Amino acid sequence: MAALEEGFTLTAVPLGSGPDGPLGVEQSDKTDQFLVTDSGRTVILYKVSDQKPLGSWSVKQGQIITCPAVCNFQTGEYIVVHDNKVLRIWNNEDVNLDKVFKATLSAEVYRIHSIQGTEPLVLFKEGAIRGLEALLAEPQQKIETVISDEEVIKWTKFFMVFRHPVLIFITEKHGNYFAYVQKFNSRILSKYTLLLGQEEKSAAQSFSASVYRKFISLMSLSSDGCVYETLIPIHPGDPEKNQRVVRSLLLKSVVSGSARSGVALTILDQDHVAVLGPPLSASKECLSIWNTKFQTLQASKELPQGTSGQLWYHGENLFMLHGKFLTVIPYKCEVSSLAGALGKLKHSQDPDIHAMTHFVNWETSQGYGLGSQNSEQSKRILRRRKIEASVQPEVPPSTQLLAAVQKDSEKHIEVELRKFLAVKRTPDFHTIIGDVVIGLLGRCKAEPSFYPRNCLMQLIQTRVLSYSLCPGLMEFALEKTDVQILQLCLQQFPDIPESVTCACLKIFLSIGDDSLQETDINMESVSDYTAIIQDGEIEEQTEILQNGFNPEEDNCENCAQELTEKPQAAAEESTSCPVTGKRAALLENATMTLPGIHPPTLNQIMDWICLLLDANFTVVVMLPEAKRLLLSLYKFVKSQISICSELNKIEVSFRELQKLNQEKTNRELYSIEVLELF
């Protein structure tokens, strides 16, 4: 069941002067605040709950805003483009857009996209895409042409798929439509030709898209008044080839086929869509909610003053232009069920909510295009749904695991995790593992006593996680000073930031030996070093010479014993490592699995660092301010060379003394000798 509530006017004055209404309504960094861009020169920040503006900014006379303003959720700043190429960035404290940050780009911008969890993206009219930071670093960089000649972008959307940003845009050329899908985790741009279905004979007027399992569900409202669906795979078989996908009929006659303008479509959830347009040729325009699963009209609201054919959806609010005023209409959608679709759910309804349910006669209905020609297909659909409803499928282990993470005990979660890891891996295995980790970390923050350490270690050892997939994992382990989990992450995550690596190093160096002794650390990386040290300690002790005298060669055992007591102690002190074995295991053999086809080796990295140091030293040497420093260094090095030269001479003399001393084989316990050096 779905319902449309009473709407209210958001703007107090007519919005803009353009024929197509506002350019866009975009979410701000506050849940209840939205950026409204009119088709002229102004951007207004509104707070919906108070129905009042919080700020307004305009470009100067003669300039025109050419794409909707958006919010950069990473910085809280606002971004807009005017005159196709001029980009402006400002915040709430700024008053005049003419005095804020400005960047003139080398190509015309079609749209700026911004959503939570990633940086804004800029889509150019020629189909190229750039991240905002890379674009601001070089605004005049060359922008390549992606789409063909006479191909025009008609619609675009930006969303997250498996926590990775994906942008889709639709183009049109000579009545043919194409879909481009850009995945930014792999930098793959896939192109699809949208083929007409058997029933479709008209052009698309509005598009909307959502993610459904392994596909992007692309819906289009065509000029024949019907809604069509196209399933575009997220992981294409051959991304470099122009692939073809067919549009299939989803809803028939949702708006009048004679309506050439003023129609729009947006997806609300998996089973509901909102449609804007006249249901009949002679009727007024309406806003309606349809159930796509059961093909029923759930709610409808007449708009007597007409609309511009624009519809925006944010949260539980629908935004549209009613007459010349921007109107907000809240809505509600319940979980889709047959009883709800037929309006037979028992629940209380607010008298202020205007809702209706249209019952489709599957045999004879002509008004909504579901007549006798589709009766056999409709019967098959109903029979299939009855069979699916009667047979309750077994809940998969992944679903059981995700449900257990939210509420069950640590022991029960471990049991469900073992069940899940025991089954055959599916293509979305890494995604499920990431969801489980994020769920566990979220519960750990909500419940301080909850810490499923064993589960986290098992999840890390699946070798499908990375830092970018679950950045909160290492941060949480740093808070808990859990060196074992940190060691596993460092060994298996290829994309750990330098700041996190430094934080791990600080903990490894500062943690006490007593704490490390009680911790189970993987010692495999230092097993060879430990054996070498243990085998070499005795050999080094026996080779210690004290002032050129080896006590083992002396005939007096008592004297030798007295002389070797202190040297052996000194030997133990000199050969013992200040870092324990477990601490060494945490510090050695860092992962060098770097991204790319040919990652650099450790030696190459060290050579590059040395080259940078040499280059910087050369720059310092050439500075006039460094002359006094260089003279001091020169004098110091010269004195050190002189000292080393004298020491070398003395070393030669001591070697001669040692030789003479070794030649005296018949010396007593005590003797006085005079040696002459020439």
Side-chain angles (χ1 to χ4, degrees):
M1 189 67 183
L4 292 169
E5 299 182 1
E6 277 298 324
F8 55 89
T9 298
L10 186 61
T11 55
V13 295
L15 189 70
S17 58
D20 299 326
L23 288 178
V25 178
E26 297 292 334
Q27 178 77 53
S28 177
D29 55 348
K30 304 285 193 308
T31 305
D32 196 31
Q33 297 179 11
F34 298 89
L35 287 168
V36 179
T37 309
D38 72 14
S39 56
R41 302 167 42 222
T42 307
V43 178
I44 306 174
L45 178 64
Y46 283 98
K47 187 173 183 181
V48 172
S49 58
D50 295 342
Q51 301 179 32
K52 68 176 184 180
L54 300 179
S56 177
W57 302 270
S58 298
V59 295
K60 65 183 181 180
Q61 192 73 28
Q63 298 174 341
I64 184 171
I65 297 176
T66 50
C67 75
V70 297
C71 176
N72 185 343
F73 293 98
Q74 295 181 335
T75 63
E77 297 173 318
Y78 306 129
I79 313 165
V80 77
V81 173
H82 65 81
D83 302 314
N84 294 311
K85 293 185 177 182
V86 183
L87 186 145
R88 299 277 187 175
I89 300 177
W90 78 100
N91 54 38
N92 287 322
E93 287 71 29
D94 294 314
V95 177
N96 190 348
L97 284 185
D98 195 41
K99 296 182 179 180
V100 301
F101 176 84
K102 171 185 174 182
T104 302
L105 309 179
S106 61
E108 294 186 352
V109 175
Y110 177 81
R111 183 73 186 270
I112 299 177
H113 284 288
S114 182
I115 58 176
Q116 295 278 3
T118 186
E119 71 165 322
L121 294 180
V122 179
L123 173 63
F124 291 89
K125 290 185 178 181
E126 300 299 325
I129 304 169
R130 293 288 189 276
L132 180 65
E133 294 302 324
L135 191 61
L136 294 180
E138 190 180 354
Q140 285 295 309
Q141 61 184 272
K142 184 179 180 181
I143 303 299
E144 70 276 10
T145 299
V146 175
I147 60 179
S148 61
D149 294 338
E150 300 182 18
E151 199 172 348
V152 180
I153 299 178
K154 291 293 185 180
W155 174 87
T156 176
K157 186 173 181 180
F158 185 38
F159 39 63
M160 300 294 283
V161 178
F162 304 143
R163 286 182 294 280
H164 292 293
V166 172
L167 189 143
I168 179 173
F169 61 92
I170 307 299
T171 63
E172 185 267 338
K173 180 180 180 180
H174 303 316
N176 298 316
Y177 291 90
F178 307 92
Y180 293 81
V181 179
Q182 174 76 69
K183 294 193 299 181
F184 292 91
N185 61 327
S186 57
R187 298 291 177 181
I188 295 176
L189 177 65
S190 305
K191 181 180 180 180
Y192 301 87
T193 301
L194 305 182
L195 300 178
L196 297 177
Q198 294 181 354
E199 309 91 339
E200 189 175 7
K201 305 295 181 184
S202 55
Q205 293 181 307
S206 179
F207 293 92
S208 186
S210 64
V211 178
Y212 178 69
R213 295 182 180 175
K214 302 175 185 177
F215 297 90
I216 297 174
S217 173
L218 176 66
M219 295 187 188
S220 59
L221 177 59
S222 294
S223 57
D224 60 359
C226 301
V227 176
Y228 297 87
E229 182 183 32
T230 305
L231 294 180
I232 299 175
I234 295 175
H235 304 289
D238 190 352
E240 296 186 359
K241 293 181 66 177
N242 185 0
Q243 304 169 79
R244 298 185 176 186
V245 289
V246 180
R247 289 185 278 186
S248 58
L249 180 64
L250 185 66
L251 292 173
K252 200 165 187 180
S253 298
V254 295
V255 295
S256 172
S258 61
R260 299 303 176 189
S261 61
V263 296
L265 168 75
T266 186
I267 300 174
L268 302 179
D269 60 24
Q270 184 176 338
D271 298 321
H272 296 91
V273 296
V275 178
L276 189 66
L280 299 174
S281 58
S283 64
K284 296 181 179 179
E285 294 180 358
C286 292
L287 173 65
S288 56
I289 296 179
W290 285 78
N291 186 308
T292 58
K293 185 175 182 180
F294 299 106
Q295 300 181 357
T296 56
L297 177 63
Q298 296 287 286
S300 181
K301 189 177 186 66
E302 193 176 80
L303 303 170
Q305 300 178 26
T307 71
S308 62
Q310 296 168 291
L311 185 62
W312 297 274
Y313 147 68
H314 294 288
E316 295 185 347
N317 292 312
L318 291 167
F319 298 79
M320 74 206 67
L321 197 67
H322 187 200
K324 291 187 177 181
F325 298 89
L326 186 64
T327 302
V328 181
I329 299 181
Y331 74 94
K332 291 182 180 179
C333 286
E334 298 178 358
V335 178
S336 180
S337 65
L338 184 58
L342 298 177
K344 294 185 178 181
L345 279 179
K346 295 181 179 180
H347 64 282
S348 60
Q349 184 173 351
D350 191 337
D352 292 335
I353 296 177
H354 300 277
M356 63 172 289
T357 301
H358 178 82
F359 300 96
V360 177
N361 187 329
W362 299 97
E363 298 291 340
T364 60
S365 175
Q366 298 292 335
Y368 286 85
L370 296 171
S372 58
Q373 60 180 348
N374 293 328
S375 60
E376 290 301 320
Q377 180 183 0
S378 303
K379 288 178 181 179
R380 288 195 297 270
I381 293 173
L382 286 176
R383 283 196 295 268
R384 187 176 73 247
R385 286 172 179 162
K386 287 181 180 179
I387 294 173
E388 291 175 353
S390 61
V391 180
Q392 294 294 333
E394 183 181 355
V395 180
S398 60
T399 304
Q400 296 179 8
L401 175 59
L402 291 172
V405 166
Q406 303 298 325
K407 57 183 179 179
D408 291 343
S409 63
E410 296 181 21
K411 185 176 181 181
H412 185 71
I413 295 175
E414 288 186 34
V415 173
E416 295 298 334
L417 179 59
R418 284 196 295 270
K419 290 181 182 178
F420 172 70
L421 296 178
V423 300
K424 185 178 179 180
R425 292 191 177 187
T426 57
D428 59 346
F429 177 79
H430 68 287
T431 306
I432 297 174
I433 293 295
D435 292 337
V436 172
V437 172
I438 291 175
L440 289 173
L441 294 176
R443 187 174 171 187
C444 288
K445 293 180 180 179
E447 304 175 23
S449 60
F450 179 77
Y451 186 37
R453 190 168 180 274
N454 293 334
C455 292
L456 292 174
M457 292 183 62
Q458 290 184 57
L459 292 168
I460 297 171
Q461 291 170 344
T462 58
R463 298 182 181 276
V464 299
L465 291 174
S466 62
Y467 181 86
S468 57
L469 194 62
C470 49
L473 177 57
M474 292 194 71
E475 295 176 2
F476 188 73
L478 287 169
E479 293 177 5
K480 292 286 186 179
T481 320
D482 195 328
V483 294
Q484 190 175 7
I485 287 184
L486 292 175
Q487 184 190 32
L488 288 174
C489 294
L490 287 169
Q491 290 174 345
Q492 300 187 25
F493 289 3
D495 56 347
I496 301 175
E498 182 182 357
S499 59
V500 178
T501 305
C502 293
C504 294
L505 181 60
K506 289 180 181 178
I507 285 185
F508 293 163
L509 293 174
S510 61
I511 190 171
D513 291 336
D514 295 338
S515 300
L516 281 179
Q517 195 65 29
E518 301 172 358
T519 306
D520 186 13
I521 302 294
N522 184 359
M523 301 289 291
E524 184 178 355
S525 61
V526 294
S527 58
D528 296 336
Y529 301 100
T530 305
I532 291 173
I533 292 174
Q534 290 176 350
D535 294 340
E537 281 183 357
I538 299 175
E539 296 177 3
E540 290 184 7
Q541 289 178 9
T542 57
E543 293 176 359
I544 294 294
L545 298 178
Q546 189 69 10
N547 292 332
F549 174 71
N550 189 345
E552 289 183 347
E553 296 178 1
D554 194 88
N555 294 329
C556 180
E557 295 181 359
N558 295 332
C559 204
Q561 183 176 0
E562 292 177 2
L563 290 173
T564 56
E565 285 178 357
K566 290 185 180 181
Q568 287 180 0
E572 291 177 0
E573 183 178 352
S574 62
T575 57
S576 62
C577 181
V579 178
T580 61
K582 289 191 173 183
R583 195 185 304 275
L586 295 174
L587 298 174
E588 294 180 13
N589 282 10
T591 177
M592 286 301 296
T593 307
L594 300 175
I597 301 176
H598 301 292
T601 63
L602 182 60
N603 289 335
Q604 289 174 327
I605 294 173
M606 294 302 296
D607 290 343
W608 176 248
I609 293 174
C610 293
L611 182 62
L612 288 177
L613 291 174
D614 291 343
N616 283 279
F617 178 75
T618 304
V619 172
V620 172
V621 167
M622 300 299 293
L623 293 175
E625 295 83 354
K627 186 175 181 180
R628 183 175 299 176
L629 175 63
L630 291 175
L631 290 174
S632 300
L633 288 175
Y634 172 76
K635 293 179 180 178
F636 176 76
V637 172
K638 185 177 180 180
S639 63
Q640 293 296 311
I641 292 175
S642 176
I643 293 174
C644 289
S645 177
E646 297 298 326
L647 289 175
N648 287 334
K649 295 178 181 178
I650 298 175
E651 182 183 9
V652 173
S653 300
F654 276 113
R655 284 179 182 174
E656 293 298 325
L657 285 173
Q658 186 176 359
K659 290 180 181 179
L660 293 174
N661 189 31
Q662 290 176 352
E663 291 174 358
K664 301 290 184 177
T665 56
N666 58 348
R667 61 178 180 268
E668 299 296 334
L669 181 61
Y670 176 78
S671 64
I672 297 176
E673 299 180 11
V674 178
L675 302 176
E676 296 181 1
L677 298 176
F678 299 97

